[in-house]
Amino acid sequence: MRIGAVIGTVTLSHRLESLAGGRLLLVQPLGAPALALAGAGAAVAEALVVYDELNPGLGARVAFSEGREAAMPFHPRPVPIDAYCAALLDAVQIERVGVEEHA
């Protein structure tokens, strides 16, 4: 699972019935440096299209799954989903574990 910021939505002219009830978001994946700076900083990967049923707003941080795990909420129904919005994030806290400080 990765964390990203919603940067837009995708509009379709036709939709599969198996995807009714959700929408498609454009999400920019964020790495630890960007998350530590409250979303500022360089992106870690190209933006991707994520299927959503939680309705986050523009700029919201979301946790999303990719690959086979993204289609698991629809099991046993096969759907053409590569990324799924699994959670809306209120806050992200990053702690350095196991890093010794040198004086």
Side-chain angles (χ1 to χ4, degrees):
M1 188 167 293
R2 294 197 296 165
I3 296 174
V6 177
I7 61 171
T9 58
V10 176
T11 303
L12 301 173
S13 59
H14 298 291
R15 176 189 301 246
L16 294 173
E17 283 301 317
S18 62
L19 299 180
R23 65 184 186 151
L24 297 174
L25 303 175
L26 193 57
V27 174
Q28 179 65 63
L30 300 173
L35 292 170
L37 298 171
V44 296
E46 189 174 308
L48 62 144
V49 176
V50 176
Y51 181 81
D52 167 62
E53 297 174 307
L54 302 175
N55 203 25
L58 192 61
R61 289 185 187 167
V62 296
F64 60 94
S65 59
E66 297 175 273
R68 181 172 181 194
E69 289 79 18
M72 293 312 291
F74 303 94
H75 184 73
R77 214 169 20 120
V79 292
I81 298 292
D82 288 330
Y84 180 82
C85 181
L88 304 178
L89 305 177
D90 292 327
V92 176
Q93 181 176 340
I94 298 174
E95 296 180 19
R96 293 179 183 216
V97 179
V99 176
E100 295 181 22
E101 292 189 30
H102 299 285

